[in-house]
Amino acid sequence: QVKLVESGGGLVQAGGSLRLSCAHSGRPFSNYAMGWFRQAPGKERAIVAGVTQNGGDTYYTDSVKGRFTISRDNAKSTVHLQMNNLKPEDTAVYYCAAGDDIPTMRTRAWWGQGIQVTVSS
């Protein structure tokens, strides 16, 4: 079993910043690639960013490149998503995920409960 708990969401004005955190417990954190997904109303859940088990490789969807940074701390079993220059289209429920690797995480992963991020214009 793996438990993931997100924190750090909220309401921010366009151009502002938020830092999401995800605390992992259960099976060893270093076993898992970690990712952040988001789901806006009426849209499918989609990956935002991912990081490999040792933190050596990262992935970002095109719309967040240069604005978002994913990082992990294996000693503290946490993963973060630093979101800068937020835009209204970033508004969504954000989910933390733990999986075997980034490409398969969307269909096979442990999930957090989700946290709302709202960006006002």
Side-chain angles (χ1 to χ4, degrees):
Q1 285 286 72
V2 169
K3 183 178 180 181
L4 302 170
V5 179
E6 300 99 338
S7 61
L11 173 65
V12 64
Q13 289 188 333
S17 298
L18 283 174
R19 188 186 192 219
L20 302 183
S21 297
C22 173
H24 172 285
S25 60
R27 294 176 181 172
F29 181 66
S30 59
N31 287 358
Y32 297 96
M34 299 298 296
W36 287 97
F37 288 69
R38 66 187 178 188
Q39 186 168 19
K43 296 188 177 181
E44 292 188 354
R45 188 178 302 186
I47 190 167
V48 175
V51 60
T52 54
Q53 281 81 343
N54 64 2
D57 290 303
T58 56
Y59 166 84
Y60 298 94
T61 194
D62 285 346
S63 62
V64 308
K65 286 179 180 177
R67 300 189 298 123
F68 291 12
T69 303
I70 189 170
S71 62
R72 66 186 294 160
D73 184 337
N74 282 1
K76 296 182 178 179
S77 298
T78 57
V79 61
H80 304 285
L81 185 68
Q82 178 67 42
M83 305 186 293
N84 298 328
N85 190 22
L86 282 159
K87 303 176 181 182
E89 51 264 41
D90 294 317
T91 296
V93 177
Y94 283 70
Y95 296 88
C96 177
D100 292 333
D101 53 58
I102 296 172
T104 63
M105 199 177 297
R106 181 177 176 274
T107 56
R108 184 179 176 183
W110 299 93
W111 295 95
Q113 80 283 359
I115 193 164
Q116 180 69 44
V117 170
T118 302
V119 184
S120 63
S121 58

